[in-house]
């Protein structure tokens, strides 16, 4: 199937129907469906917290595009994980960057916009670059999991991204943290070293802290604020 001639309404219908049909399918089968359906107009997005979805996708489609958003605020460990993934895995890592460097943003909006208006900072450094980067694709895969936080509990394995008018594939939505750890161990998958240092979810350095015992995985993101998502998935 080629999707160029399909309307957004066709894609939405396809996404919703497939989400129901593949609810109990394995992550590999969900990715296989996405690759068979969209071919080169499918990509994986990765925050480089780990390379689990990129690894799964590369088993189905060697050389698959893996899109990484370099906000300019990442931990060095995250950039190192991105470089290691590009060096050792059979994937095509594509790095997206915001229009402004951090220095340019500071000059226009003042320093530490992330402390004063994180929604605006995320909009410029994450949401906009991703929106522009995804224009080359009809479908994108994420590593979202239902067990990460209450806001992600209803994540479909295949759904419709109304904001970007694209099919959104979450092949490990049903996985638990234990499933991820088992897959990482069995396949020797690259992970961000910060996961061994008290971080359960890795985002931009100014907006990420270690989690405390009993907190959910995303409690360390924008801690102390009502914000829970950067706008990529909310
Ligand atoms: Fe800015 Fe923080 Fe959002 Fe990163 S997570 S783009 S630093 S507000």
């Amino acid at each position: 199937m080629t999707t160029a001639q399909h309307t957004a309404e066709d894609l939405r219908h396809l996404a919703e129907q497939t989400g129901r049909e593949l609810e109990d399918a394995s992550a590999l089968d969900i990715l296989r469906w996405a690759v068979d359906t969209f071919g080169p107009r499918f990509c994986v997005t990765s925050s480089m917290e780990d390379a689990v979805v990129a690894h799964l996708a590369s088993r189905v489609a060697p050389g698959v595009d893996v899109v990484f958003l370099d906000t300019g605020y990442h931990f060095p460990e995250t950039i190192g994980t991105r470089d290691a993934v590009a060096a050792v895995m059979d994937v095509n890592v594509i790095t997206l960057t915001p229009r402004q460097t951090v220095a340019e943003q500071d000059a226009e909006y003042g320093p530490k916009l992330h402390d004063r208006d994180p929604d605006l900072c995320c909009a410029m450094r994450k949401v906009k670059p991703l929106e522009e980067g995804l224009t080359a694709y009809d479908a994108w895969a994420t590593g979202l999991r239902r067990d990460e936080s209450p806001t992600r509990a209803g994540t479909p394995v295949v759904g419709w991204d109304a904001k970007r008018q694209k099919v959104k594939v979450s092949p490990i939505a049903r996985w638990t943290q234990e499933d991820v750890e088992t897959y990482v161990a069995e396949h020797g998958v690259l992970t961000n070293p910060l996961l061994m240092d008290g971080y359960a979810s890795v985002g931009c350095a100014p907006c990420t802290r270690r989690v405390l015992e009993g907190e959910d995985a995303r409690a360390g993101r924008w801690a102390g604020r009502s914000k829970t998502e950067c706008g990529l998935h909310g």
Side-chain angles (χ1 to χ4, degrees), residues 71-74 105 113-115 117-127 203-208 221-222 227 230:
T71 64
Y73 276 119
H74 282 302
Q105 178 173 295
L113 183 64
H114 45 76
D115 285 353
D117 192 344
D119 286 342
L120 178 59
C121 188
C122 277
M124 295 191 294
R125 308 203 74 74
K126 288 187 169 181
V127 179
C204 293
C207 301
T208 306
R221 306 288 293 277
W222 303 283
K227 185 175 172 68
C230 51

